[in-house]
mmCIF file of all heavy atoms in Angstrom:
data_model
loop_
_atom_site.group_PDB
_atom_site.id
_atom_site.type_symbol
_atom_site.label_atom_id
_atom_site.label_comp_id
_atom_site.label_asym_id
_atom_site.label_seq_id
_atom_site.Cartn_x
_atom_site.Cartn_y
_atom_site.Cartn_z
ATOM 1 N N ILE A 8 90.264 -76.750 44.178
ATOM 2 C CA ILE A 8 91.473 -76.137 43.620
ATOM 3 C C ILE A 8 92.392 -77.281 43.060
ATOM 4 O O ILE A 8 92.516 -78.255 43.715
ATOM 5 C CB ILE A 8 92.255 -75.400 44.700
ATOM 6 C CG1 ILE A 8 91.480 -74.282 45.236
ATOM 7 C CG2 ILE A 8 93.602 -74.901 44.123
ATOM 8 C CD1 ILE A 8 92.111 -73.577 46.438
ATOM 9 N N GLU A 9 92.801 -77.086 41.835
ATOM 10 C CA GLU A 9 93.763 -78.022 41.217
ATOM 11 C C GLU A 9 95.111 -77.244 40.932
ATOM 12 O O GLU A 9 95.078 -76.311 40.212
ATOM 13 C CB GLU A 9 93.176 -78.626 39.951
ATOM 14 C CG GLU A 9 91.946 -79.497 40.169
ATOM 15 C CD GLU A 9 91.346 -79.836 38.877
ATOM 16 O OE1 GLU A 9 90.583 -78.979 38.394
ATOM 17 O OE2 GLU A 9 91.490 -81.003 38.438
ATOM 18 N N ILE A 10 96.144 -77.784 41.505
ATOM 19 C CA ILE A 10 97.407 -77.155 41.306
ATOM 20 C C ILE A 10 98.208 -78.184 40.434
ATOM 21 O O ILE A 10 98.530 -79.240 40.823
ATOM 22 C CB ILE A 10 98.155 -76.918 42.683
ATOM 23 C CG1 ILE A 10 97.305 -75.934 43.454
ATOM 24 C CG2 ILE A 10 99.596 -76.379 42.428
ATOM 25 C CD1 ILE A 10 97.738 -75.795 44.935
ATOM 26 N N ASP A 11 98.555 -77.692 39.232
ATOM 27 C CA ASP A 11 99.066 -78.597 38.165
ATOM 28 C C ASP A 11 100.485 -78.230 37.753
ATOM 29 O O ASP A 11 100.684 -77.249 37.040
ATOM 30 C CB ASP A 11 98.126 -78.542 36.999
ATOM 31 C CG ASP A 11 98.522 -79.526 35.876
ATOM 32 O OD1 ASP A 11 99.395 -80.387 36.080
ATOM 33 O OD2 ASP A 11 97.864 -79.502 34.819
ATOM 34 N N GLN A 12 101.545 -78.967 38.222
ATOM 35 C CA GLN A 12 102.873 -78.828 37.857
ATOM 36 C C GLN A 12 103.292 -77.286 37.983
ATOM 37 O O GLN A 12 103.973 -76.796 37.138
ATOM 38 C CB GLN A 12 103.136 -79.347 36.487
ATOM 39 C CG GLN A 12 102.984 -80.806 36.325
ATOM 40 C CD GLN A 12 104.124 -81.592 37.069
ATOM 41 O OE1 GLN A 12 105.263 -81.291 36.824
ATOM 42 N NE2 GLN A 12 103.768 -82.517 37.889
ATOM 43 N N VAL A 13 102.976 -76.758 39.112
ATOM 44 C CA VAL A 13 103.225 -75.390 39.355
ATOM 45 C C VAL A 13 104.692 -75.092 39.730
ATOM 46 O O VAL A 13 105.232 -75.810 40.608
ATOM 47 C CB VAL A 13 102.259 -74.783 40.411
ATOM 48 C CG1 VAL A 13 102.917 -73.514 40.969
ATOM 49 C CG2 VAL A 13 100.979 -74.549 39.760
ATOM 50 N N VAL A 14 105.345 -74.119 39.040
ATOM 51 C CA VAL A 14 106.713 -73.735 39.309
ATOM 52 C C VAL A 14 106.711 -72.242 39.637
ATOM 53 O O VAL A 14 105.996 -71.431 38.946
ATOM 54 C CB VAL A 14 107.668 -74.005 38.118
ATOM 55 C CG1 VAL A 14 109.031 -73.446 38.444
ATOM 56 C CG2 VAL A 14 107.662 -75.527 37.848
ATOM 57 N N VAL A 30 104.901 -78.510 41.593
ATOM 58 C CA VAL A 30 104.039 -78.947 42.658
ATOM 59 C C VAL A 30 102.644 -79.189 42.036
ATOM 60 O O VAL A 30 102.126 -78.434 41.313
ATOM 61 C CB VAL A 30 103.818 -77.850 43.763
ATOM 62 C CG1 VAL A 30 102.784 -78.197 44.730
ATOM 63 C CG2 VAL A 30 105.205 -77.593 44.540
ATOM 64 N N SER A 31 102.134 -80.423 42.347
ATOM 65 C CA SER A 31 100.799 -80.774 41.896
ATOM 66 C C SER A 31 100.012 -81.412 43.004
ATOM 67 O O SER A 31 100.465 -82.245 43.782
ATOM 68 C CB SER A 31 100.905 -81.873 40.693
ATOM 69 O OG SER A 31 101.480 -81.321 39.536
ATOM 70 N N LEU A 32 98.769 -80.857 43.234
ATOM 71 C CA LEU A 32 97.915 -81.447 44.279
ATOM 72 C C LEU A 32 96.465 -81.005 43.953
ATOM 73 O O LEU A 32 96.246 -80.016 43.288
ATOM 74 C CB LEU A 32 98.318 -81.096 45.661
ATOM 75 C CG LEU A 32 98.370 -79.569 46.058
ATOM 76 C CD1 LEU A 32 97.077 -79.217 46.672
ATOM 77 C CD2 LEU A 32 99.483 -79.433 47.129
ATOM 78 N N LEU A 53 102.896 -70.582 47.620
ATOM 79 C CA LEU A 53 101.776 -71.270 46.965
ATOM 80 C C LEU A 53 100.436 -70.569 47.316
ATOM 81 O O LEU A 53 99.639 -70.425 46.430
ATOM 82 C CB LEU A 53 101.838 -72.705 47.357
ATOM 83 C CG LEU A 53 100.760 -73.619 46.754
ATOM 84 C CD1 LEU A 53 100.818 -73.462 45.155
ATOM 85 C CD2 LEU A 53 100.909 -75.017 47.169
ATOM 86 N N MET A 56 99.937 -67.448 45.397
ATOM 87 C CA MET A 56 99.722 -67.719 43.999
ATOM 88 C C MET A 56 98.286 -68.043 43.749
ATOM 89 O O MET A 56 97.676 -67.604 42.837
ATOM 90 C CB MET A 56 100.640 -68.823 43.483
ATOM 91 C CG MET A 56 102.062 -68.429 43.419
ATOM 92 S SD MET A 56 103.146 -69.755 43.134
ATOM 93 C CE MET A 56 102.953 -70.173 41.508
ATOM 94 N N VAL A 63 102.304 -67.195 38.431
ATOM 95 C CA VAL A 63 102.862 -68.630 38.232
ATOM 96 C C VAL A 63 103.901 -68.576 37.180
ATOM 97 O O VAL A 63 103.665 -68.048 36.082
ATOM 98 C CB VAL A 63 101.680 -69.549 37.864
ATOM 99 C CG1 VAL A 63 102.208 -70.940 37.558
ATOM 100 C CG2 VAL A 63 100.650 -69.619 38.929
ATOM 101 N N SER A 64 105.116 -69.050 37.432
ATOM 102 C CA SER A 64 106.184 -69.142 36.456
ATOM 103 C C SER A 64 105.871 -70.199 35.426
ATOM 104 O O SER A 64 105.989 -69.960 34.221
ATOM 105 C CB SER A 64 107.483 -69.443 37.060
ATOM 106 O OG SER A 64 107.869 -68.388 38.031
ATOM 107 N N ASP A 65 105.463 -71.398 35.795
ATOM 108 C CA ASP A 65 105.042 -72.485 34.942
ATOM 109 C C ASP A 65 103.864 -73.169 35.564
ATOM 110 O O ASP A 65 103.823 -73.173 36.811
ATOM 111 C CB ASP A 65 106.205 -73.438 34.604
ATOM 112 C CG ASP A 65 107.192 -72.758 33.725
ATOM 113 O OD1 ASP A 65 106.900 -72.298 32.666
ATOM 114 O OD2 ASP A 65 108.430 -72.822 34.039
ATOM 115 N N GLY A 66 103.124 -73.997 34.784
ATOM 116 C CA GLY A 66 102.082 -74.749 35.362
ATOM 117 C C GLY A 66 100.760 -73.910 35.351
ATOM 118 O O GLY A 66 100.682 -72.835 34.793
ATOM 119 N N ASP A 67 99.785 -74.432 36.084
ATOM 120 C CA ASP A 67 98.478 -73.834 36.138
ATOM 121 C C ASP A 67 97.844 -74.063 37.516
ATOM 122 O O ASP A 67 98.013 -75.143 38.089
ATOM 123 C CB ASP A 67 97.681 -74.380 34.968
ATOM 124 C CG ASP A 67 96.358 -73.470 34.789
ATOM 125 O OD1 ASP A 67 96.383 -72.287 35.149
ATOM 126 O OD2 ASP A 67 95.351 -74.030 34.248
ATOM 127 N N ILE A 68 97.015 -73.077 37.838
ATOM 128 C CA ILE A 68 96.132 -73.291 39.073
ATOM 129 C C ILE A 68 94.678 -73.041 38.602
ATOM 130 O O ILE A 68 94.329 -72.081 37.978
ATOM 131 C CB ILE A 68 96.534 -72.224 40.190
ATOM 132 C CG1 ILE A 68 97.957 -72.485 40.715
ATOM 133 C CG2 ILE A 68 95.582 -72.373 41.388
ATOM 134 C CD1 ILE A 68 98.409 -71.468 41.724
ATOM 135 N N ARG A 69 93.825 -74.008 38.931
ATOM 136 C CA ARG A 69 92.486 -74.001 38.485
ATOM 137 C C ARG A 69 91.506 -73.960 39.748
ATOM 138 O O ARG A 69 91.755 -74.584 40.674
ATOM 139 C CB ARG A 69 92.055 -75.149 37.521
ATOM 140 C CG ARG A 69 92.882 -75.138 36.277
ATOM 141 C CD ARG A 69 92.494 -76.311 35.408
ATOM 142 N NE ARG A 69 92.886 -77.599 35.906
ATOM 143 C CZ ARG A 69 94.032 -78.114 35.788
ATOM 144 N NH1 ARG A 69 94.991 -77.484 35.034
ATOM 145 N NH2 ARG A 69 94.345 -79.285 36.224
ATOM 146 N N LEU A 70 90.508 -73.133 39.578
ATOM 147 C CA LEU A 70 89.473 -73.045 40.671
ATOM 148 C C LEU A 70 88.147 -73.616 40.040
ATOM 149 O O LEU A 70 87.589 -72.984 39.114
ATOM 150 C CB LEU A 70 89.370 -71.639 41.155
ATOM 151 C CG LEU A 70 88.273 -71.446 42.310
ATOM 152 C CD1 LEU A 70 88.667 -72.148 43.513
ATOM 153 C CD2 LEU A 70 88.089 -69.925 42.546
ATOM 154 N N GLY A 72 87.745 -75.873 38.048
ATOM 155 C CA GLY A 72 88.041 -76.155 36.570
ATOM 156 C C GLY A 72 88.391 -74.956 35.758
ATOM 157 O O GLY A 72 88.830 -75.141 34.590
ATOM 158 N N ASP A 73 88.283 -73.709 36.256
ATOM 159 C CA ASP A 73 88.588 -72.554 35.529
ATOM 160 C C ASP A 73 90.025 -72.090 35.899
ATOM 161 O O ASP A 73 90.346 -71.878 37.110
ATOM 162 C CB ASP A 73 87.593 -71.401 35.826
ATOM 163 C CG ASP A 73 86.259 -71.774 35.316
ATOM 164 O OD1 ASP A 73 86.129 -72.469 34.233
ATOM 165 O OD2 ASP A 73 85.240 -71.324 35.930
ATOM 166 N N SER A 74 90.862 -71.837 34.909
ATOM 167 C CA SER A 74 92.229 -71.445 35.159
ATOM 168 C C SER A 74 92.231 -70.004 35.734
ATOM 169 O O SER A 74 91.481 -69.116 35.364
ATOM 170 C CB SER A 74 93.029 -71.395 33.802
ATOM 171 O OG SER A 74 94.311 -70.853 34.022
ATOM 172 N N LEU A 75 93.051 -69.776 36.766
ATOM 173 C CA LEU A 75 93.218 -68.512 37.398
ATOM 174 C C LEU A 75 94.343 -67.657 36.756
ATOM 175 O O LEU A 75 94.555 -66.487 37.108
ATOM 176 C CB LEU A 75 93.596 -68.666 38.819
ATOM 177 C CG LEU A 75 92.488 -69.385 39.693
ATOM 178 C CD1 LEU A 75 92.947 -69.460 41.163
ATOM 179 C CD2 LEU A 75 91.207 -68.557 39.679
ATOM 180 N N THR A 76 94.998 -68.188 35.705
ATOM 181 C CA THR A 76 96.048 -67.484 35.061
ATOM 182 C C THR A 76 95.539 -66.204 34.498
ATOM 183 O O THR A 76 94.550 -66.151 33.793
ATOM 184 C CB THR A 76 96.652 -68.332 33.936
ATOM 185 O OG1 THR A 76 97.156 -69.539 34.467
ATOM 186 C CG2 THR A 76 97.801 -67.552 33.190
ATOM 187 N N GLY A 77 96.251 -65.126 34.831
ATOM 188 C CA GLY A 77 95.868 -63.771 34.287
ATOM 189 C C GLY A 77 94.809 -63.048 35.069
ATOM 190 O O GLY A 77 94.557 -61.869 34.806
ATOM 191 N N ARG A 83 89.124 -63.032 41.552
ATOM 192 C CA ARG A 83 89.176 -64.374 42.019
ATOM 193 C C ARG A 83 88.152 -64.503 43.191
ATOM 194 O O ARG A 83 88.216 -63.772 44.145
ATOM 195 C CB ARG A 83 90.545 -64.886 42.447
ATOM 196 C CG ARG A 83 91.541 -64.732 41.392
ATOM 197 C CD ARG A 83 92.903 -65.139 41.807
ATOM 198 N NE ARG A 83 93.871 -64.890 40.733
ATOM 199 C CZ ARG A 83 95.030 -65.544 40.550
ATOM 200 N NH1 ARG A 83 95.319 -66.601 41.367
ATOM 201 N NH2 ARG A 83 95.795 -65.286 39.615
#
Side-chain angles (χ1 to χ4, degrees):
I8 300 173
E9 294 170 282
I10 298 166
D11 186 8
Q12 292 293 306
V13 162
V14 176
V30 172
S31 293
L32 62 88
L53 182 55
M56 292 166 74
V63 176
S64 301
D65 289 308
D67 193 22
I68 298 176
R69 296 183 293 275
L70 182 64
D73 295 329
S74 176
L75 296 178
T76 301
R83 304 178 183 210

